[in-house]
Amino acid sequence: MADLEDSIASIKASQSHSTPVQIMLDMILATSHDQRAAQVERAVDWVSQEFVKTSHIRQTMGEDLLTIEIITSMKAMGFDAAHDTQYGGHCDIVVEARDDFLWIAEAKIHKGYDWLLAGFEQLDRRYSTGLAGQDTGEMIIYCFVERADLVLSEYQSRLTGSREDVKFDQDITQGLFRRSVHTHVNTGRDFRVRHSIVPLYFSPVR
């Protein structure tokens, strides 16, 4: 066992913090639902960064194609990830793991704020279970317009206005994500959502 642990530590030390290999190893070694959720988020962040680097070839891609690319990348990292799973409806992204872990994401292209708010309602009221180990999820926003940061801020403002029960972490004011918590209507447990935006605006001057 010590040799195995030393080998794993050596592999992890050889990788930078956010490589797919590092994420995969940390997911395998995760011993709690919070640790598993953190690795899922790292995987989403890694894929999102790759999307931004290649945004010029993604300008005509639709929601399903973008989302399937995220899932394909997550599968390559070893995640049990799927698209269109029937949990209360057609879920965009489902990740499952041992001990009944379940993480669900709704992914929307920003076509208007009502469209995004409807996506949140689907995630919250239709797809999520709210059970232990199944009480985290994500809203992923694909943004093809300028200033993704301002779009995210306006989305947060509008969601707060339409759902007074959803409380955002007021300490998170920078970056391209926000975190919220509210009481899940099905279980009465806290349901935690990360709201992330993928900036895909591309309009070169030359």
Side-chain angles (χ1 to χ4, degrees):
M1 180 63 72
D3 289 343
L4 176 60
E5 291 177 353
D6 289 343
S7 297
I8 292 173
S10 178
I11 293 171
K12 291 176 67 175
S14 71
Q15 304 289 317
S16 60
H17 180 68
S18 294
T19 66
V21 171
Q22 180 71 274
I23 295 168
M24 177 181 67
L25 287 172
D26 285 340
M27 184 62 176
I28 292 171
L29 297 172
T31 58
S32 70
H33 292 317
D34 284 346
Q35 290 175 358
R36 294 178 188 113
Q39 301 319 309
V40 173
E41 290 183 359
R42 284 178 66 197
V44 171
D45 288 345
W46 187 88
V47 179
S48 296
Q49 289 180 35
E50 295 302 303
F51 274 19
V52 176
K53 293 174 186 175
T54 55
S55 61
H56 60 292
I57 65 172
R58 304 186 184 278
Q59 297 304 298
T60 60
M61 294 174 68
E63 284 176 354
D64 281 347
L65 189 52
L66 289 164
T67 302
I68 289 169
E69 282 210 17
I70 291 178
I71 291 167
T72 299
S73 297
M74 294 184 76
K75 284 182 175 180
M77 296 183 210
F79 287 92
D80 181 4
H83 174 60
D84 237 8
T85 303
Q86 280 277 4
Y87 287 157
H90 296 279
C91 306
D92 284 336
I93 305 176
V94 169
V95 176
E96 297 184 82
R98 63 182 179 274
D99 301 328
D100 297 320
F101 174 81
L102 175 67
W103 176 96
I104 294 177
E106 178 70 7
K108 293 290 189 188
I109 289 177
H110 171 46
K111 301 175 182 177
Y113 294 101
D114 288 344
W115 179 245
L116 301 181
L117 296 183
F120 177 81
E121 293 297 335
Q122 286 178 299
L123 172 67
D124 180 32
R125 301 298 179 98
R126 180 181 289 274
Y127 304 141
S128 62
T129 71
L131 295 170
Q134 304 177 8
D135 48 9
T136 58
E138 184 148 358
M139 266 295 295
I140 300 172
I141 302 169
Y142 306 121
C143 182
F144 288 94
V145 300
E146 297 176 82
R147 294 297 301 272
D149 59 325
L150 297 181
V151 172
L152 182 60
S153 292
E154 181 64 18
Y155 160 77
Q156 176 182 346
S157 177
R158 296 198 184 204
L159 180 54
T160 301
S162 67
R163 288 283 301 268
E164 294 183 356
D165 60 316
V166 175
K167 305 301 182 185
F168 280 86
D169 185 340
Q170 298 304 313
D171 291 333
I172 303 175
T173 58
Q174 300 294 319
L176 296 179
F177 74 94
R178 300 289 186 271
R179 293 189 185 278
S180 70
V181 63
H182 67 279
T183 301
H184 197 277
V185 68
N186 186 39
T187 64
R189 297 172 52 85
D190 282 350
F191 187 60
R192 295 168 292 155
V193 179
R194 189 175 75 149
H195 311 256
S196 62
I197 192 162
V198 185
L200 297 172
Y201 176 75
F202 181 76
S203 182
V205 176
R206 299 183 184 180

